[in-house]
Amino acid sequence: MSTQLPYRPPTLRLQGLRALDENAVRLFLKLAQQRLRQTWIVLEDSSPVDADVVLASPGTHPLRGQRVVWVTAPGQPVPPGGHGTLPRPLQLEAFYELLQQLKPQPPTACAAPAPSLPAPPSGTATRYRLTRWPSSQMLVTHVQGARLASFLSARYLSATELAQLSHVPTEACSRFIHAMRQHGWVETQPAPSPTAPTCAPTRPASGAPAWISRLRHKLQLTDTLPAIG
């Protein structure tokens, strides 16, 4: 049985950069987030976690074994042992291409993949609810992924109900639910069984309503017409 490893966003550490360069990097990450399809996290200097990529100025000494990208001024010599360079002033496209090359691959378990689940019909009455928040890579893969996840996290919804609330096409909602099921991130609520139709109350055996019968009895009238002749 396959085990899904927890998703960890890629991390970036800034070492020895000017304040101007640090601000540019943080702005570039926001602008390129949709294109990168990953949410990069900038680690603080005090964080003990090893970063996936370190942007460092020459003259600093990053930890051995980390992937270092040197941020250099025009004509400044590049230290050996790096995984690339970013010349100043920093440019968005160069920064984007560099992260595309250095982005870590998502972890995979060394086990047989889980059997694929059939996609639910878009009009099914079965309701689904998220048991965990999807990864950022999964959210940007689907149309309005974050919007759909927010509705599915709050309540049980079918694909049709999700489409009505989110104003996203039903087929897109069905595909999103199917992807969440493949990862085991949803729980289902069976469709409610149809209720038996209620029968209308029956009238008294006589043809007249009950209140007429009571009135006849009070006035000592018979329920039948007198015979003629």
Side-chain angles (χ1 to χ4, degrees):
M1 184 175 180
S2 177
T3 302
Q4 180 71 26
L5 297 179
Y7 172 78
R8 182 181 68 84
T11 54
L12 185 69
R13 191 186 299 278
L14 310 180
Q15 187 166 335
L17 301 186
R18 303 178 306 170
L20 179 63
D21 297 331
E22 288 191 2
N23 292 337
V25 168
R26 297 177 189 275
L27 176 61
F28 289 170
L29 286 177
K30 292 181 180 180
L31 296 177
Q33 181 174 347
Q34 294 298 325
R35 297 174 60 183
L36 294 172
R37 294 195 172 185
Q38 285 180 312
T39 302
W40 284 75
I41 297 177
V42 178
L43 297 178
E44 302 299 331
D45 293 336
S46 59
S47 175
V49 180
D50 291 338
D52 295 307
V53 178
V54 178
L55 298 184
S57 293
T60 59
H61 303 283
L63 297 177
R64 181 176 299 179
Q66 291 189 319
R67 295 192 294 179
V68 180
V69 175
W70 299 107
V71 180
T72 60
Q76 186 178 17
V78 180
H83 287 74
T85 60
L86 279 177
R88 298 202 310 253
L90 301 182
Q91 302 294 325
L92 175 60
E93 289 300 324
F95 178 79
Y96 165 73
E97 292 177 4
L98 179 72
L99 291 188
Q100 282 286 81
Q101 298 172 5
L102 298 179
K103 67 179 180 181
Q105 297 298 322
T108 55
C110 299
S116 177
L117 296 174
S122 58
T124 181
T126 303
R127 291 178 170 87
Y128 305 90
R129 183 174 179 269
L130 281 176
T131 57
R132 55 153 288 179
W133 189 257
S135 64
S136 57
Q137 185 174 7
M138 179 66 67
L139 292 180
V140 299
T141 303
H142 296 270
V143 178
Q144 298 290 337
R147 181 176 179 82
L148 298 179
S150 64
F151 282 107
L152 279 178
S153 297
R155 67 181 78 175
Y156 287 96
L157 294 171
S158 67
T160 302
E161 292 170 336
L162 181 59
Q164 293 172 349
L165 291 174
S166 63
H167 302 291
V168 175
T170 305
E171 291 299 327
C173 294
S174 181
R175 288 193 298 268
F176 181 77
I177 293 175
H178 177 55
M180 299 301 102
R181 293 178 68 223
Q182 296 284 46
H183 286 80
W185 295 344
V186 295
E187 57 186 8
T188 60
Q189 181 187 58
S193 57
T195 57
T198 57
C199 298
T202 57
R203 293 185 174 183
S206 63
W211 69 272
I212 296 180
S213 298
R214 290 195 298 268
L215 181 60
R216 288 176 179 271
H217 178 73
K218 185 176 181 180
L219 299 177
Q220 297 181 354
L221 299 177
T222 60
D223 290 337
T224 57
L225 295 175
I228 301 176

